[in-house]
């Protein structure tokens, strides 16, 4: 698999984690296990794990459930930074979908008046920093950072 987001052109130097994932929700335990192992190896504080886990899982689930349905593998990359961790999910063969463009969720509205959907992305936006999205050459790339001493989960 080669795309505009080839690893050699990313800000993930050697030593970062990369997983190639099937478009299947059964991959979630593997994501969590790999994240735990990488946090330990890279000496990333455990306090960042809940935000990283929730955001990564939510974004991965959205890609699987709402993606193109093609068999292209999803690429997960993680890198320890001096002040936290950077995470990127690459979705080849996808249609453009920038989660930053979703309207805010009115969490104070009565349930009967709420539109379905969007709550997971709302939570991601609350938990992470530097949420970014790029689309080119039929691939979507979403990335975020979680900082030491950042937002509470």
């Amino acid at each position: 698999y080669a795309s505009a987001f080839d690893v050699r052109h990313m800000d993930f130097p050697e030593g970062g984690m990369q997983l190639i994932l099937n478009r299947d929700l059964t991959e979630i335990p593997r994501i969590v296990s790999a994240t735990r192992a990488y946090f330990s190896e890279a000496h990333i504080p455990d306090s960042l794990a809940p935000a990283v886990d929730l955001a990564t899982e939510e974004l991965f689930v959205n890609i699987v459930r709402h993606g193109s349905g093609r068999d292209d593998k999803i690429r997960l990359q993680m890198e320890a930074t001096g002040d936290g961790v950077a995470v990127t999910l690459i979705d080849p063969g996808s249609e453009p979908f920038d989660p930053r463009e979703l309207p805010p969720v009115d969490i104070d509205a009565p349930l009967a008046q709420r539109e379905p959907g969007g709550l997971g992305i709302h939570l991601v936006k609350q938990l992470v920093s530097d949420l970014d999205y790029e689309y080119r050459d039929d691939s979507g790339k979403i990335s975020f950072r979680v900082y030491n001493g950042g937002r509470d989960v």
Side-chain angles (χ1 to χ4, degrees):
Y1 158 75
S3 81
F5 302 122
D6 190 287
V7 177
R8 292 169 294 182
H9 303 293
M10 308 240 355
D11 295 327
F12 284 84
E14 289 183 29
M17 180 192 83
Q18 176 174 272
L19 281 178
I20 305 300
L21 302 160
N22 294 314
R23 291 179 179 273
D24 193 309
L25 298 181
T26 61
E27 291 279 41
I28 291 172
R30 191 162 76 100
I31 293 170
V32 173
S33 294
T35 299
R36 286 295 158 280
Y38 182 65
F39 268 48
S40 176
E41 177 185 313
H43 307 290
I44 299 170
D46 288 337
S47 61
L48 303 185
V52 170
D53 286 346
L54 193 147
T56 302
E57 181 178 328
E58 176 61 29
L59 295 170
F60 178 77
V61 167
N62 279 348
I63 289 169
V64 170
R65 287 193 176 155
H66 306 293
S68 67
R70 292 176 34 175
D71 287 335
D72 296 305
K73 306 289 186 191
I74 299 165
R75 185 180 304 213
L76 170 64
Q77 298 170 318
M78 199 170 291
E79 177 191 8
T81 62
D83 54 0
V85 63
V87 179
T88 298
L89 287 150
I90 299 172
D91 181 15
S94 65
E95 296 295 321
F97 175 73
D98 188 342
R100 299 171 305 175
E101 294 178 0
L102 287 177
V105 174
D106 183 359
I107 58 173
D108 296 320
L111 286 176
Q113 295 177 2
R114 291 189 197 177
E115 292 292 322
L119 192 55
I121 295 296
H122 171 78
L123 289 172
V124 169
K125 290 177 181 178
Q126 302 306 306
L127 291 173
V128 307
S129 300
D130 304 331
L131 183 64
D132 192 31
Y133 178 80
E134 236 184 292
Y135 184 83
R136 68 176 176 236
D137 298 336
D138 294 325
S139 290
K141 178 177 105 172
I142 186 160
S143 57
F144 64 88
R145 291 180 182 261
V146 176
Y147 293 102
N148 295 327
R151 302 169 183 188
D152 290 331
V153 178

